[in-house]
């Protein structure tokens, strides 16, 4: 059976950094994200009894051995839930450039979780799907849902209470994201490696965990109230706190380049001049700027031609991961 699914990338406003269980991939903190339209993974999964191994193609190419292992072991989890053992042919394509500083693992594993479960005859509810996607990548749990999303930090040993849920759908608040690409070089330290290293070596790690609930509550409140200023404040705080944590690891991790800092300053200058915008930065040097629909062209104008930016991607708020029919 061949199934095609689509999932969108997401950007965290309150960041996930640290794992409470490495093996089960359970987050040490909750997080809040926004799912983006325009930045999409489409994945096809086809079961085939004649295959002796999973056949995996990403963006038209065979991925590295490490990536194949990660994807195959994820497919193995689906097989064990479904009590099936035939292998699959997987073909996955991102419509956004790799090296865009957008975790393609988020949309990638959300799309694979959906297409994979359906291909093996399962029918998980969104919560079950989010738990499964989380096993592929922490941020993938959030890409199952559209709009504004909260990832819950659970407490159970098996991770049954670590899943994402929607706070508000994609039509709730017309925010826009500009992704300012400053470098297309592959990052040297992946988020998984970086967050594990940080949790073992930063003297501030416990303080990060202890202060995370408050950040989540504030961000949720800002979203409920559609309070842009408040959301700006808490998002920048969470981003800077995450990077301060990475910087305080031993040895310290620096994900930024010089342009990242210039752009952060530019965003704060613009906001001081009355333009509603704020920044967030993930485990790389790209700066993501959020603004309102009314200001998106003006903000784009501020950054177009800015030295240090190689490309600008623009997105609105995206929807849930979904199955695509032939006509889609
Ligand atoms: O889902 P992962 O393992 O790629 O980690 C994502 C980490 C950050 O992007 C830096 C933060 C986040 O919450 O997305």
């Amino acid at each position: 059976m061949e199934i095609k699914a689509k999932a969108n990338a997401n950007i965290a406003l309150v960041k996930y950094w640290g794992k409470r269980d490495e093996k089960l991939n359970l987050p040490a903190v909750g997080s809040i994200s926004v799912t983006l339209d325009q930045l999409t993974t489409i994945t096809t999964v086809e079961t085939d009894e004649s295959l002796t191994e999973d056949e995996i193609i990403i963006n038209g190419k065979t991925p590295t051995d490490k990536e194949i292992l990660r994807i195959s072991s994820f497919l193995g989890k689906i097989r064990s839930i479904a009590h099936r053992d035939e292998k699959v042919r997987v073909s996955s394509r991102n419509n956004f450039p790799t090296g865009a500083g957008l975790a393609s693992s988020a949309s990638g594993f959300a799309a694979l979780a959906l297409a994979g479960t359906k291909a093996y005859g399962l029918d998980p509810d969104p919560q079950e799907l989010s738990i499964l996607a989380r096993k592929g990548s922490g941020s993938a749990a959030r890409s199952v849902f559209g709009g504004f999303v909260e990832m819950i930090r659970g407490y159970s040993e098996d991770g049954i209470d670590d899943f994402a849920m929607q706070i508000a759908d994609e039509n709730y608040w017309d925010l826009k994201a500009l992704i300012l690409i400053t470098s297309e070089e592959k990052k040297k330290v992946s988020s998984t490696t970086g967050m594990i290293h940080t949790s073992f070596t930063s003297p501030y790690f416990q303080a990060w965990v202890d202060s995370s609930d408050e950040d989540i509550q504030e961000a949720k409140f800002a979203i409920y109230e559609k309070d842009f200023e408040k959301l700006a404040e808490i998002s920048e705080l969470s981003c800077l706190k995450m990077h301060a944590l990475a910087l305080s690891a031993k040895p310290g991790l620096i994900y930024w380049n010089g342009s990242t800092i210039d752009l952060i300053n530019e965003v704060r200058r613009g906001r001081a001049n009355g333009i509603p915008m704020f920044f967030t930065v993930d485990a790389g040097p790209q700066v993501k700027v959020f603004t309102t629909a009314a200001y998106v062209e003006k903000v784009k104008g501020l950054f177009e031609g800015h030295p240090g930016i190689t490309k600008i991607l623009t997105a609105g708020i995206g929807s849930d991961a979904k199955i695509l029919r032939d006509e889609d």
Side-chain angles (χ1 to χ4, degrees), residues 12 15-17 103 105 137-139 142 191-192 195 242 282-283:
K15 303 292 185 194
Y16 151 51
W17 197 253
S105 62
S137 158
S139 51
R142 300 185 309 234
S191 17
T192 294
M195 65 175 81
M242 180 198 112
D282 292 298

Side-chain angles (χ1 to χ4, degrees), residues 40-315:
T40 302
T41 301
I42 293 182
T43 299
T44 306
V45 177
E46 182 190 5
T47 52
D48 184 340
E49 283 179 10
S50 72
L51 292 175
T52 52
E53 288 188 20
D54 294 317
E55 238 178 60
I56 300 161
I57 301 288
I58 297 180
N59 293 328
K61 292 194 205 113
T62 304
T64 62
D65 288 352
K66 202 172 153 202
E67 284 166 330
I68 292 178
L69 195 68
R70 184 172 175 196
I71 294 165
S72 256
S73 96
F74 183 76
L75 291 165
K77 292 185 204 317
I78 302 179
R79 283 190 274 270
S80 98
I81 302 170
H83 305 290
R84 299 265 293 263
D85 53 17
E86 69 269 42
K87 302 288 195 275
V88 288
R89 201 167 283 119
V90 175
S91 170
S92 186
R93 191 169 281 281
N94 302 323
N95 76 345
F96 52 93
T98 45
L102 282 153
S104 53
S105 62
S107 48
F109 278 105
L112 184 61
L114 182 55
T117 47
K118 295 281 182 191
Y120 281 112
L122 296 168
D123 190 19
D125 64 28
Q127 186 171 313
E128 289 166 332
L129 198 62
S130 178
I131 288 177
L132 176 65
R134 190 210 69 230
K135 295 178 185 174
S137 158
S139 51
R142 300 185 309 234
S143 271
V144 167
F145 300 96
F148 297 79
V149 180
E150 176 180 9
M151 173 75 202
I152 315 270
R153 176 229 197 268
Y155 290 86
S156 72
E157 265 178 34
D158 58 1
I160 197 74
D161 53 353
D162 290 76
F163 51 82
M165 51 201 271
Q166 189 176 64
I167 298 173
D169 75 14
E170 62 273 24
N171 302 312
Y172 173 72
W173 192 4
D174 197 5
L175 297 185
K176 300 285 179 197
L178 299 184
I179 295 134
L180 312 180
I181 314 278
T182 65
S183 161
E184 307 210 5
E185 242 177 72
K186 206 170 157 13
K187 65 182 162 220
K188 291 183 190 78
V189 182
S190 72
S191 17
T192 294
T193 306
M195 65 175 81
I196 293 169
H197 170 66
T198 309
S199 63
F200 283 123
T201 62
S202 168
Y204 307 141
F205 189 71
Q206 195 53 46
W208 160 257
V209 173
D210 293 344
S211 61
S212 111
D213 278 353
E214 196 180 322
D215 296 348
I216 300 258
Q217 291 318 319
E218 273 189 40
K220 277 198 330 200
F221 195 66
I223 293 167
Y224 290 138
E225 299 272 303
K226 293 192 185 163
D227 183 339
F228 191 89
E229 268 298 305
K230 188 86 213 143
L231 191 61
E233 204 179 284
I234 187 65
S235 301
E236 291 190 359
L237 170 77
S238 176
C239 162
L240 293 177
K241 209 167 16 164
M242 180 198 112
H243 285 278
L245 196 64
L247 287 167
S248 70
K250 194 176 171 182
L253 297 173
I254 306 172
Y255 284 109
W256 299 357
N257 59 27
S259 303
T260 314
I261 311 242
D262 286 347
L263 295 169
I264 283 177
N265 286 328
E266 201 67 62
V267 170
R268 286 198 158 171
R269 232 185 329 269
R271 191 156 79 252
N273 289 331
I275 303 174
M277 58 176 174
F278 64 85
F279 65 83
T280 188
V281 185
D282 292 298
Q286 333 302 1
V287 177
K288 289 110 184 204
V289 180
F290 280 86
T291 187
T292 58
Y295 277 87
V296 66
E297 288 309 320
K298 184 166 186 136
V299 174
K300 215 189 281 180
L302 278 181
F303 292 108
E304 260 159 4
H306 195 287
I309 298 179
T310 58
K311 198 182 289 164
I312 302 180
L313 307 175
T314 309

